[in-house]
Amino acid sequence: MPRIVKDPDVRRNEILDAAQQLFAFKGYDQTSVQDVLDAAGISKGAFYHYFASKSELLDCLVERMTTQTLAALQPIVNDDSLDACEKMEAFFGYILRWKTNNRRYLLDLMRVIYRDENAVYRYKITAANIERIVPVVGDMVSQGVVQGVFTTEHPHEMGEIVMTILRTLGESLAQLLMEEPPGADAPDDRAERMEHAIRVHEYAVARLLGAVRPLRLLDVEQAKLFLVEPEAA
C-alpha cells in the first residue's frame, strides 16, 4: 500500500489538535512528546520536522488559538455601524457567548490549567492574549475618543490596562467557579458574587476610559450559566 502523504499544513494542524486535547485534559507538564506522537499517529521524526520541542509546540498552539479568536472577532472590529462602546460590548460579549456554548470543555480545562504545575500553559495563553488583543482594544478606545464616547488622554495605553482589569476579573471568576458548591442546606451566593464582580470591573473600565455611559461588557445571565451543570442547561 502506498504511503499517504498529507499536505504539511494539514499534518501540522493534526499535531496541534492532538496537543490541544492533551494539554487541556492531561496538563502541559504531564504530557510528553510521546503522548503527542501516539495521539497524532506520527513518528518522532515527523514531530521534529514541524516543532523543535514541546515548548515550541505550545507556543504554536497558543498562537493558533489567539489567531482564530481574533479572526472571529474581526467583523465586530470592522463594523462601522457600531460606536466604540458598542464595539467593546459586542467584542467581549462574543467571547463570553463562545465560552458559555463550550462551558463543559472550559470547566474541565479550567480545573487542569489552574493547577500549579500548569502555570506555564496558563501564562502562555495570557501572554498571547495581551500581545495580540491589547492593540485591538487600544484601537477601539482610540476610535471612541474620536467619536466622543471615551475621554481618556492615552487611548492606546488604555488597551493594556483594560485587558489587565478584565484578566483580573477572569481570574476571580475562575476561582469562584472552582469552589465546591455549598451543601443542600447552605445558601449559594455564588451568582450574586459573580454579578457583583462583573459590575465592579465594568465600572472600573468605564471610569478608566471616561465612558459617556455605563459599559456592559459581559452578560451576567450568560455568565451565570457556568454555575449550572451543562447537562441541565
Side-chain angles (χ1 to χ4, degrees):
M1 177 180 291
R3 185 168 68 92
I4 298 175
V5 179
K6 292 188 176 180
D7 180 275
D9 288 338
V10 172
R11 177 63 81 187
R12 184 175 186 276
N13 278 307
E14 286 178 347
I15 300 171
L16 289 170
D17 290 341
Q20 185 168 350
Q21 289 296 314
L22 287 167
F23 292 166
F25 296 111
K26 190 173 182 179
Y28 173 75
D29 285 339
Q30 288 70 35
T31 299
S32 66
V33 171
Q34 188 60 52
D35 291 330
V36 178
L37 303 184
D38 295 341
I42 60 171
S43 67
K44 186 175 292 188
F47 175 88
Y48 286 109
H49 174 74
Y50 293 100
F51 307 101
S53 63
K54 188 176 79 165
S55 177
E56 182 179 298
L57 172 66
L58 175 59
D59 289 339
C60 293
L61 175 59
V62 172
E63 172 70 17
R64 186 181 73 162
M65 293 165 63
T66 306
T67 297
Q68 290 171 341
T69 299
L70 286 172
L73 292 167
Q74 201 60 47
I76 295 171
V77 176
N78 295 338
D79 190 343
D80 293 333
S81 70
L82 302 176
D83 69 26
C85 288
E86 293 167 332
K87 280 188 180 181
M88 290 191 69
E89 290 172 334
F91 187 90
F92 292 107
Y94 177 95
I95 294 173
L96 177 60
R97 284 195 302 277
W98 183 89
K99 288 182 176 180
T100 52
N101 289 338
N102 295 276
R103 64 188 182 280
R104 175 197 289 277
Y105 167 78
L106 291 173
L107 286 169
D108 289 341
L109 174 63
M110 191 183 302
R111 296 183 183 101
V112 175
I113 66 172
Y114 275 89
R115 295 174 187 162
D116 290 344
E117 61 267 30
N118 288 320
V120 171
Y121 186 35
R122 190 167 68 249
Y123 170 79
K124 290 279 189 178
I125 294 173
T126 301
N129 283 337
I130 291 174
E131 182 179 357
R132 297 285 301 281
I133 295 180
V134 160
V136 178
V137 176
D139 287 343
M140 287 190 286
V141 176
S142 295
Q143 178 186 342
V145 171
V146 172
Q147 294 171 336
V149 297
F150 298 143
T151 58
T152 178
E153 295 181 2
H154 307 284
H156 283 288
E157 290 84 348
M158 290 303 104
E160 183 169 358
I161 301 176
V162 167
M163 289 302 297
T164 299
I165 292 172
L166 295 180
R167 185 172 74 249
T168 301
L169 172 60
E171 294 279 340
S172 299
L173 296 181
Q175 295 301 324
L176 185 152
L177 291 171
M178 287 188 291
E179 290 179 8
E180 287 293 329
D185 297 328
D188 187 351
D189 66 346
R190 291 177 301 161
E192 289 77 12
R193 287 159 54 204
M194 176 181 283
E195 180 168 1
H196 178 72
I198 291 172
R199 294 302 182 223
V200 166
H201 286 77
E202 287 177 333
Y203 175 79
V205 172
R207 289 297 300 270
L208 175 74
L209 300 180
V212 297
R213 65 171 177 81
L215 293 175
R216 289 293 179 255
L217 303 177
L218 301 180
D219 185 315
V220 171
E221 296 309 313
Q222 274 202 337
K224 288 178 181 178
L225 290 175
F226 275 91
L227 298 171
V228 180
E229 286 296 324
E231 295 86 352

